[in-house]
Amino acid sequence: GNSVTQMEGPVTLSEEAFLTINCTYTATGYPSLFWYVQYPGEGLQLLLKATKADDKGSNKGFEATYRKETTSFHLEKGSVQVSDSAVYFCALMKRGTYKYIFGTGTRLKVLA
Amino acid sequence: TAGITQAPTSQILAAGRSMTLRCTQDMRHNAMYWYRQDLGLGLRLIHYSNTAGTTGKGEVPDGYSVSRANTDDFPLTLASAVPSQTSVYFCASSDRGGDGEKLFFGSGTQLSVL
């Protein structure tokens, strides 16, 4: 079946450090891939998405590339800020089904 | 723009009691969803509705029911709460006519069943 695996947290970084949060998936066909972010006390919000192989999603300095050969969609940011502290969820959706599969979330804490 | 409004924000409920979690959206989205968020398990789909008048079961529907009488409202009812239903509940919506793949979330309801 379809599944998403993301790295265990929490991840603690100093401000301006480089961030990578790993995400791999298992799916039949060619799903759409997403990163959602949840700030403290809020619901999730879409950070970025990619819909086909080699697509790169980007937003707010974050990037992720759809890698079909490694079934991965790792989230990266070159220089994190304290305001990036949140929980990040990797997710997939099989095209046309509108049913998401979410990873377990990775908590990021950025220290000033 | 309000987006999705959930109520209450938090609730403590005695086991065996019933409760309805409210969800209202003002974006005229056709699809709506209820998820529960549990530590180490991520988000799991409870029920969904593709359009007003229709509902469907998600991954973990047991003990929950929903209705979709109109486009804007999608209440979730626990008929007889049990401690395993202690969780954070999120309502979400998407616009199937637009970017149907993008979910919009409410701020959640923290429910404790004792």
Side-chain angles (χ1 to χ4, degrees), chain B residues 6-13 19 21 87 107-112:
Chain B
Q6 291 186 236
T9 303
S10 65
Q11 182 74 43
I12 298 174
L13 188 66
M19 178 170 183
L21 280 61
S87 186
S107 297
T109 294
Q110 172 81 57
L111 178 66
S112 297

Side-chain angles (χ1 to χ4, degrees), chain A residues 32 34 36 38 41-46 49 51 87 89 93 95-105 107, chain B residues 33 35 37-38 40-43 45 48 50 57 59 90 94 96 99-108:
Chain A
S32 294
F34 307 82
Y36 277 80
Q38 183 181 28
E42 299 182 8
L44 282 70
Q45 53 186 275
L46 180 64
K49 64 180 279 190
T51 58
V87 181
F89 291 89
M93 175 168 42
R95 306 295 292 278
T97 66
Y98 299 103
K99 292 183 180 177
Y100 272 80
I101 304 295
F102 284 90
T104 55
R107 182 175 298 278
Chain B
Y33 313 80
Y35 289 90
Q37 183 182 25
D38 301 292
L41 296 176
L43 274 76
L45 182 65
Y48 65 93
N50 291 331
K57 294 182 179 180
E59 183 183 356
F90 287 100
S94 67
R96 299 285 177 85
D99 182 359
E101 296 189 335
K102 180 178 179 179
L103 290 176
F104 294 79
F105 283 84
S107 297

